């Protein structure tokens, strides 16, 4: 991942015509893929927000209580 490839020399690149133009049937050279804005952003949060985590916890407790109550009434 640490290998850096040098930029191609525009004077020896294939497909370039006179005046540094690219013929219509040729694909132009790509740009460098690494720049100053690559990588993760500065502020990244991890995990869930408190609201959705609490709502999911309440839902799980209610479902568990329902199935426990159902099992108790069926067993009687």
């Amino acid at each position: 991942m640490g290998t850096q490839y040098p930029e191609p020399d525009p004077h020896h690149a294939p497909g370039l015509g006179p005046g540094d133009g690219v013929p219509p049937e040729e694909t132009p050279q790509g740009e460098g893929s690494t720049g100053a804005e690559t990588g993760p952003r500065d502020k990244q949060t991890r995990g869930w927000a408190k609201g959705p985590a609490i709502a999911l916890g309440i839902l799980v407790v209610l479902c568990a209580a329902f199935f426990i109550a159902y099992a108790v009434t069926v067993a009687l």
Side-chain angles (χ1 to χ4, degrees), residues 14-58:
L16 289 179
D20 293 331
V22 179
E25 65 273 358
E26 292 282 336
T27 303
Q29 294 179 0
E31 297 176 359
S33 62
T34 57
E37 296 297 321
T38 59
R41 294 198 169 111
D42 291 337
K43 282 208 159 205
Q44 293 209 357
T45 58
R46 300 185 85 181
W48 288 27
K50 290 181 183 178
I54 291 172
L56 185 62
I58 291 172

